[in-house]
């Protein structure tokens, strides 16, 4: 089919400077990142944010949004290619989360004070580390999780930090309107730019799924083309 029917309030204008492939990578990644940073964790200009797992769709969106909002951005990735992509997207400091002792380097980059906000993509692996990395009154916005985790709640108690859940589908109409306006302005002005990693024709959807599951280290969004 070349056409479909959709409710007016679920369709949005694509900025002229973006391709349709980039447009396919906007919805969930950028809206989730915006909700995590601003609606849920209340990020502010001047704060330091760590995007823990920054080379995927949501991570790169969070890096770009935080940078555009005047925050000091740190990011992690699992490969040299991913680290370079995160750096190009606006992170001032980039770390390889597969390296032993990378959290020590993050603390060194903050002169030992810790980060104000963490956008977390894999909480079951990283949440305990996140609580140690936070500054006093810091926040962890949990965007992704793949299983149970054990933490020492004292780490949150002693620095009065917060663990905040993020679920895009709880966004109400007012929040949606704000998000769409902010994102469209960023795409139009060029401060935001979706990164397409790989494109697959629809006939290769199965291969695209295997790519997501088996590839270690995300590099932007995978897009199906018709």
């Amino acid at each position: 089919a070349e056409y479909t029917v959709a409710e007016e309030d679920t369709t949005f204008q694509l900025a002229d400077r973006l391709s349709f492939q980039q447009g396919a990578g906007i919805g969930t990644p950028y809206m989730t990142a915006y909700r995590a940073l601003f609606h849920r964790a209340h990020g502010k200009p001047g704060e330091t944010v760590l995007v823990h797992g920054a080379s995927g769709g949501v991570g790169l969106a969070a890096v770009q949004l935080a940078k555009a909002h005047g925050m000091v951005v740190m990011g992690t990735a699992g490969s040299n290619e991913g680290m370079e992509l995160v750096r190009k997207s606006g992170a001032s400091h980039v770390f390889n989360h597969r390296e032993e002792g990378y959290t020590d380097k993050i603390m060194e980059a903050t002169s030992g004070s810790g980060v104000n906000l963490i956008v977390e993509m894999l909480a079951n692996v990283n949440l305990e580390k996140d609580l140690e990395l936070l500054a006093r009154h810091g926040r962890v916005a949990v965007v992704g999780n793949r299983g149970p985790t054990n933490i020492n709640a004292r780490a949150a108690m002693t620095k009065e930090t917060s663990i905040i859940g993020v679920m895009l589908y709880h966004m109400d109409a007012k929040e949606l309107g704000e998000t769409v306006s902010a994102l469209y302005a960023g795409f139009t002005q060029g401060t935001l730019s979706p990164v397409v990693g790989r494109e697959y024709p629809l006939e290769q959807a199965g291969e695209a799924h295997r790519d997501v599951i088996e590839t270690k280290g995300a590099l932007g969004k995978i897009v199906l083309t018709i």
Side-chain angles (χ1 to χ4, degrees), residues 2-144:
E2 295 181 4
Y3 299 95
T4 188
V5 176
E7 295 288 343
E8 184 177 358
D9 61 0
T10 63
T11 58
F12 311 103
Q13 185 175 357
L14 182 65
D16 291 340
R17 60 182 300 276
L18 299 184
S19 67
F20 281 101
Q21 288 86 343
Q22 287 178 299
I26 290 175
T28 298
Y30 278 85
M31 289 186 176
T32 299
Y34 191 92
R35 182 165 184 77
L37 285 167
F38 306 121
H39 290 160
R40 300 292 293 134
H42 305 291
K44 299 178 180 64
E47 288 192 313
T48 299
V49 58
L50 170 66
V51 183
H52 214 161
S55 62
V58 177
L60 292 172
V63 169
Q64 293 174 12
L65 282 163
K67 180 74 171 180
H69 201 66
M71 304 176 80
V72 178
V73 186
M74 300 181 176
T76 75
S79 68
N80 290 333
E81 295 86 353
M83 291 173 68
E84 183 61 23
L85 188 56
V86 173
R87 190 175 287 109
K88 286 181 178 179
S89 292
S92 301
H93 304 274
V94 184
F95 309 90
N96 188 329
H97 52 228
R98 300 189 192 279
E99 287 185 358
E100 190 74 25
Y102 80 95
T103 55
D104 294 333
K105 295 180 180 179
I106 294 173
M107 289 301 292
E108 289 173 10
T110 67
S111 299
S113 61
V115 299
N116 304 112
L117 195 165
I118 298 175
V119 179
E120 181 53 64
M121 308 300 168
L122 196 59
N124 57 297
V125 173
N126 297 321
L127 188 56
E128 186 173 11
K129 301 174 191 174
D130 291 339
L131 293 177
E132 298 296 333
L133 289 169
L134 285 176
R136 187 179 177 189
H137 300 152
R139 298 89 72 201
V140 181
V142 177
V143 170

Side-chain angles (χ1 to χ4, degrees), residues 178-190:
E178 174 197 326
T179 302
V180 170
S181 296
L183 294 182
Y184 185 74
F187 294 133
T188 301
Q189 295 163 7

